[in-house]
């Protein structure tokens, strides 16, 4: 006799959380995500169906395989993964678990999903994110993106958070975590000269006071 797993028939799709890297197609017309572990080789859309990463023809999730989308129940547990060095540039996703799924103690392995919300962190410099810029690596036909402030985008391929949501489609919501105020724009030569002159004047003033103290005179 084969052991049959208990079946659940929820009235609403379960909610889960996961981390992923946002991606932009080579031609800049599509946006999606790629996983951080086993499924990293197969970018997926906001509304998508899981495929077996080993190329097998069975439907995901198969009980004797580890294919399928993966997520955890607890948002805090997914956020904790963003603390590791290799995942610092990833984003947090809130997803709806669709289709057949297998429930585990910490989460689900399932057939289909809808990404409802993407939550992005601050830029690597600490400023609030204004865009998603080329991270310098990717998959065939896809550029991996990372959060960036306006000052750090520079000449890299990038899309605004709103534009990414539009390209991804399916009603994706994008939320940004607040960072520090963006740093001021680069100073020109004249501004740098003025700053240097001001610093030199204050240095001369401190040196004159120090000289008076060393000679026993009153400091003014």
């Amino acid at each position: 006799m084969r052991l049959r797993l208990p079946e659940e028939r929820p009235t609403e799709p379960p909610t889960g959380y996961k981390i992923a890297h946002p991606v932009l197609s080579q031609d800049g017309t599509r946006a999606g995500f790629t996983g951080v572990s086993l499924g990293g080789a197969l970018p997926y859309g906001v509304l998508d169906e899981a495929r077996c990463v080993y190329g097998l023809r069975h439907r995901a999730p198969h009980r004797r395989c580890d294919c399928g989308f993966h997520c955890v129940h607890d948002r805090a547990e997914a956020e904790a993964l963003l603390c590791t060095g290799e995942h610092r540039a990833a984003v947090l996703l809130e997803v709806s678990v669709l289709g057949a799924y297998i429930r585990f103690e910490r989460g689900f392995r399932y057939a289909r999903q809808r990404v409802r919300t993407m939550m992005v962190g601050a830029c690597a410099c600490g400023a609030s994110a204004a865009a998603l810029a080329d991270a310098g690596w990717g998959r065939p036909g896809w550029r991996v993106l990372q959060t960036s402030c306006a000052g750090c985008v520079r000449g890299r391929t990038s899309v605004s958070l709103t534009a990414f949501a539009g390209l991804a489609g399916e009603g994706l919501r994008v939320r940004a975590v607040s960072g520090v105020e963006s740093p001021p724009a680069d100073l020109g030569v004249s501004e740098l000269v003025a700053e240097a002159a001001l610093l030199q004047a204050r240095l001369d003033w401190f040196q004159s006071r120090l000289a008076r103290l060393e000679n026993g005179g009153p400091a003014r």
Side-chain angles (χ1 to χ4, degrees):
M1 295 180 62
R2 291 194 308 171
L3 178 63
R4 293 180 62 87
L5 296 175
E7 293 186 1
E8 298 182 21
R9 297 186 181 276
T11 56
E12 295 182 357
T15 296
Y17 300 90
K18 63 194 302 180
I19 64 172
H21 294 289
V23 295
L24 180 69
S25 63
Q26 183 179 359
D27 59 7
T29 61
R30 293 174 294 158
F33 305 94
T34 187
V36 298
S37 57
L38 181 65
L42 299 175
Y44 55 87
V46 171
L47 179 62
D48 215 333
E49 186 170 346
R51 293 160 287 167
C52 181
V53 294
Y54 304 110
L56 302 178
R57 296 184 179 179
H58 56 240
R59 291 184 177 181
H62 196 277
R63 288 175 55 190
R64 297 182 180 178
C65 186
D66 51 7
C67 60
F69 291 122
H70 295 72
C71 72
V72 296
H73 301 302
D74 188 7
R75 172 174 173 168
E77 186 171 352
E79 288 178 326
L81 298 174
L82 297 173
C83 294
T84 62
E86 64 271 28
H87 298 154
R88 287 290 179 93
V91 298
L92 178 69
L93 304 180
E94 179 186 73
V95 302
S96 290
V97 175
L98 306 175
Y101 60 82
I102 300 174
R103 180 188 290 272
F104 295 94
E105 180 182 359
R106 294 185 175 181
F108 299 98
R109 182 161 63 90
Y110 50 103
R112 300 178 66 242
Q113 77 176 3
R114 178 188 294 275
V115 181
R116 300 202 305 254
T117 306
M118 176 179 76
M119 287 154 278
V120 301
C123 177
C125 71
S128 298
L132 295 169
D134 190 347
W137 62 282
R139 308 295 183 192
W142 295 89
R143 292 186 176 93
V144 171
L145 306 176
Q146 65 182 25
T147 55
S148 177
C149 68
C152 293
V153 169
R154 300 186 185 278
R156 292 182 293 168
T157 299
S158 64
V159 293
S160 68
L161 303 182
T162 302
F164 182 90
L167 291 173
E170 299 294 342
L172 175 69
R173 299 189 301 268
V174 179
R175 297 177 180 173
V177 176
S178 299
V180 299
E181 291 297 326
S182 298
D186 293 339
L187 297 177
V189 174
S190 58
E191 289 84 359
L192 290 174
V193 171
E195 289 285 341
L198 178 61
L199 291 174
Q200 185 63 51
R202 292 191 63 84
L203 179 61
D204 292 341
W205 180 75
F206 279 113
Q207 287 179 334
S208 63
R209 291 193 62 185
L210 180 61
R212 289 193 184 96
L213 291 174
E214 289 177 347
N215 295 330
R220 297 180 180 176

